[in-house]
Amino acid sequence: MIFAVFDGYDSMSQYACDHYVDFISSRELCVLGLATGSTPELFYEKLADSCKRGEVSFKDVETFNLDEYCGIDASNDQSYLSFMKRHLFDKVDIPKGAWHLPDGNASDPKAACHGYDEAIFDAGGIDLQLLGLGNNGHIGFNEPSDSFPVGTHIVDLDSSTIEANSRFFESMDDVPKRAITMGIGTIMCAQSIVVMATGRGKAGIVKRAFTGKVVPQVPASVLQLHRDVLVLLDKDAAAELVPALKGDARLFLYDDLSDTDF
Ligand code: F6R
């Protein structure tokens, strides 16, 4: 794991954008795993602007999102499909049909889960997977549990996740309680992974996930076992991790943070 720490959200998002522009441009075809949530919003904005300026093209890119809610229509403003269209797909030159999200409303959920894993496999697997980090350590919607789920599956969302997601809905009753998500096995099969986290509220879970024991109760901890993970953090999210990693060759401080007293 490599840890890169930035002064703020903007420079972290810019670094992520530059990384993706280089990654996409260096390949003829490319399969990206994508995430939603607040964390990647500015990154997507910068990536879409880069595409507008002709610095990167999505015409040979295929994407698979991590997850989607169950029980709300795909046309709902808060569906992850709507999020992705708003923040990326409608703003870049990705061909129609080259982006995929799991179907949260499939009449046969088991077949939908299996079909999603098969589609990823048929595309050649994910080259670069983007992840956010839930306050409870979830990645995708793999919530803390007693085991690591392997493939795409339907999940009952944790009460803390429902609470965190409620900021996007009018009332608590409107917040979806179930979702369909890639499994930990699917995520761990990605060639490379980029994790992003910002804000002081994530500092505790960032430290636990990346320096604590690998346990399914902290799903993101499994990433310690992957051989190519880049963790991008603003200094607030890194506040508890940096002291634990001081002197570690895997830690890179950007934006003149070397003198910052973490
Ligand atoms: C979103 C997803 C989630 C989020 C996580 C962090 O597709 O899979 O795991 O990445 O809940 O969300 P934010 O960025 O809103 O803090």
Side-chain angles (χ1 to χ4, degrees), residues 187-247:
I187 292 170
M188 290 294 280
C189 280
Q191 290 286 323
S192 304
I193 296 178
V194 168
V195 189
M196 288 201 266
T198 63
R200 192 66 180 82
K202 296 270 171 81
I205 193 64
V206 163
K207 182 184 173 203
R208 257 182 98 194
F210 303 133
T211 64
K213 277 195 178 148
V214 176
V215 286
Q217 289 76 15
V218 183
S221 65
V222 76
L223 298 172
Q224 294 181 46
L225 304 179
H226 193 284
R227 64 184 167 88
D228 186 3
V229 180
L230 172 62
V231 182
L232 305 179
L233 304 166
D234 69 359
K235 65 174 185 299
D236 292 336
E240 295 185 28
L241 177 88
V242 173
L245 286 180
K246 274 242 165 98

Side-chain angles (χ1 to χ4, degrees), residues 35-40 66-67 80 132-134 138-141 167 202:
T36 60
S38 306
T39 311
L66 280 166
D67 41 20
Y80 285 172
L133 181 63
H138 73 214
I139 47 176
F141 274 139
R167 68 192 193 276
K202 296 270 171 81

